Amino acid sequence: MKKILATVAVAAAALAGLSGCAAGGGGSDDGLITVGFAQTGSESGWRSANTESMKAAFSEENGFNLVFNAADNKPEAQIAAVRSFINQGVDAIVIAPIVEDGWDDVLQEAKDAGIPVVLEDRTLTSSDDLYASWVGLDFTREGERAGEWAAKEFGDTPTNMVVLEGTTGSAPANDRAEGFAKAIEGSGIVTLDSQTGNFTRADGKTVMEGFLQKYGSDIDLLYAHNDDMALGAIEAIKAAGLQPGVDIKIVSIDAVHDGMQALADGEINHIVECNPLLGDQVAELVKKVLAGDTLEKAYIVDDGEFDQADAIELLPTRPY
Ligand code: GZL
Ligand code: ZN
């Protein structure tokens, strides 16, 4: 009996394989493009806006069958998700890599399986023949713009700064630190302490509580790699009886709704934008890759930057 069952199973698998579509084989076969999307998780307001934008773009009306995975900010879970997309035989894979290293093996597996990979938002350090294209933001420039604001604000006045870094090993955390450091060279800004708050509000608050216990009112400036950590820090600053935006100036990156509200309220002093609405461009790239078009390796989306007056004016109409 066992032998017969095995034979039937093999035949069935072969038939299913035949009916799969060209690229990935096992993807959807109702004319839709099956895309596996490995998202970082749901760590911030920025991430929610990015996920919403991606789900709206990879809709059935637009010709897609989206297989979505959020890796809860765990790099090993995100790599496992990509591996499962390869096993499912999707037509294309999109990744927002939590961290920039450790991707060579699974990207090689996708390449061997003939499944193209497109990166969105964060990038990674694997060689660019292992992915078709990347659409994202210039994180180094974002860091520079935040640093240029701080250098202008404080000049050569001795200024004590603490930093809430993004996720350790992520492209935005590495690049925003590098860009900012370059921009404040020659200013009076000194870094008292710099730790990761994992891009989350909760950790931003906890790490800022530690900074306040250590340095108290000696802190003049907080540089937060994203608004969510700045918003957590604001709660800690208020709990310590200090005024955010006055006793401790704050410069942040993202310009999500709650960050812009704090800017309008004078609790954050300057925000550099980081546009999360990448979905349409990523969907376009996936269609082009599958159509065999040649693509650039990188498409950079522009960012703005805002002061309090801008936030007050723009808040009512901002899409995120
Ligand atoms: C930047 C993005 C970062 C945001 C954070 O493009 O990867 O991740 O700045 C988010 O808010 O968590
Ligand atoms: Zn298919």
Side-chain angles (χ1 to χ4, degrees), residues 209-251:
E209 283 163 352
F211 289 159
L212 287 161
Q213 268 145 28
K214 236 161 126 186
Y215 308 105
S217 55
D218 285 352
I219 301 170
D220 304 308
L221 169 65
L222 163 65
Y223 169 36
H225 286 183
N226 83 331
D227 292 349
D228 285 64
M229 295 189 292
L231 292 162
I234 284 170
E235 290 175 45
I237 292 169
K238 287 179 174 173
L242 296 170
Q243 242 193 310
V246 180
D247 300 322
I248 297 179
K249 297 262 193 259
I250 301 178
V251 58

Side-chain angles (χ1 to χ4, degrees), residues 43-47 121-122 137 139 142 172 176 199 225-228 253-254 274:
E43 74 284 351
S44 66
W46 190 97
R47 191 59 53 194
D121 174 25
R122 301 182 189 174
L137 301 307
F139 302 131
E142 292 168 350
R176 286 172 183 171
F199 282 131
H225 286 183
N226 83 331
D227 292 349
D228 285 64
I253 299 175
D254 274 353
C274 176

Side-chain angles (χ1 to χ4, degrees), residues 75-229:
E76 64 285 352
Q78 190 175 38
I79 288 177
V82 173
R83 209 155 258 139
S84 81
F85 294 150
I86 295 169
N87 297 336
Q88 289 170 46
V90 298
D91 300 313
I93 293 171
V94 176
I95 309 171
I98 297 168
V99 293
E100 48 184 19
D101 295 330
W103 286 97
D104 294 358
D105 294 347
V106 75
L107 290 179
Q108 188 59 54
E109 289 163 34
K111 185 169 185 169
D112 297 344
I115 303 176
V117 172
V118 171
L119 306 179
E120 73 103 11
D121 174 25
R122 301 182 189 174
T123 189
L124 38 71
T125 51
S126 300
S127 87
D128 68 11
D129 65 306
L130 289 178
Y131 58 88
S133 187
W134 164 66
V135 57
L137 301 307
D138 184 344
F139 302 131
T140 307
R141 183 74 195 112
E142 292 168 350
E144 266 171 21
R145 293 170 83 171
E148 283 160 7
W149 175 85
K152 199 165 76 255
E153 184 72 15
F154 293 95
D156 50 12
T157 314
T159 303
N160 292 324
M161 172 175 72
V162 291
V163 182
L164 290 171
E165 300 166 3
T167 302
T168 304
S170 68
N174 291 338
D175 297 351
R176 286 172 183 171
E178 188 190 315
F180 190 96
K182 207 160 50 187
I184 62 167
E185 276 167 10
S187 76
I189 298 171
V190 170
T191 304
L192 290 181
D193 217 324
S194 183
Q195 280 175 42
T196 185
N198 298 306
F199 282 131
T200 67
R201 214 179 275 219
D203 290 1
K205 180 178 180 186
T206 308
V207 174
M208 191 67 199
E209 283 163 352
F211 289 159
L212 287 161
Q213 268 145 28
K214 236 161 126 186
Y215 308 105
S217 55
D218 285 352
I219 301 170
D220 304 308
L221 169 65
L222 163 65
Y223 169 36
H225 286 183
N226 83 331
D227 292 349
D228 285 64
M229 295 189 292

